[in-house]
Amino acid sequence: MASNTSKTARASVRAGQAGAGGALSVLGEFKYLIPLNNGKFVYVRNLTNGKTNHLRTDSDAFVEEIKVLAGAGHAAKIRAEINGLAEAFPGHGWDVTEKRLVDAGVFEA
């Protein structure tokens, strides 16, 4: 019986699986933070493990999650996202969230 997938599709899947060992291949714009409830909660999309966590922005778990992403080289992009959220939603406390992350040493080089 013939396969329903093309040779090209199977090769593409194999190539994608070969790079799954920590290599990162992202096309287009990727948002790390999805704000919820006026900035009190956030979905944090973690590219390093493929999980999305629902966290409170004033929790230690949020700081640790951002610290993991910053350690993986995503600090500048995350900080830019937080600054963008602070500009777009000035009353949601994103400036306080950024200050908290800076005080915790998340964005240290």
Side-chain angles (χ1 to χ4, degrees), residues 6-78:
S6 69
K7 219 174 11 173
T8 306
R10 288 191 303 270
S12 176
V13 168
R14 279 193 306 274
Q17 288 171 343
L24 181 61
S25 173
V26 176
L27 299 175
E29 187 67 23
F30 185 86
K31 296 288 183 198
Y32 295 90
L33 305 173
I34 302 168
L36 303 164
N37 195 13
N38 297 328
K40 293 178 186 155
F41 294 91
V42 67
Y43 281 124
V44 179
R45 296 166 71 181
N46 190 329
L47 286 175
T48 60
N49 63 16
K51 294 184 179 181
T52 301
N53 293 310
H54 180 260
L55 302 168
R56 230 183 131 77
T57 54
D58 62 357
S59 71
D60 291 336
F62 173 73
V63 172
E64 290 303 314
E65 187 72 16
I66 300 301
K67 199 177 280 191
V68 167
L69 287 168
H74 304 283
K77 176 83 166 94
I78 292 170

Side-chain angles (χ1 to χ4, degrees), residues 81-93:
E81 264 190 56
I82 291 172
N83 288 330
L85 289 168
E87 288 177 22
F89 307 105
H92 291 189

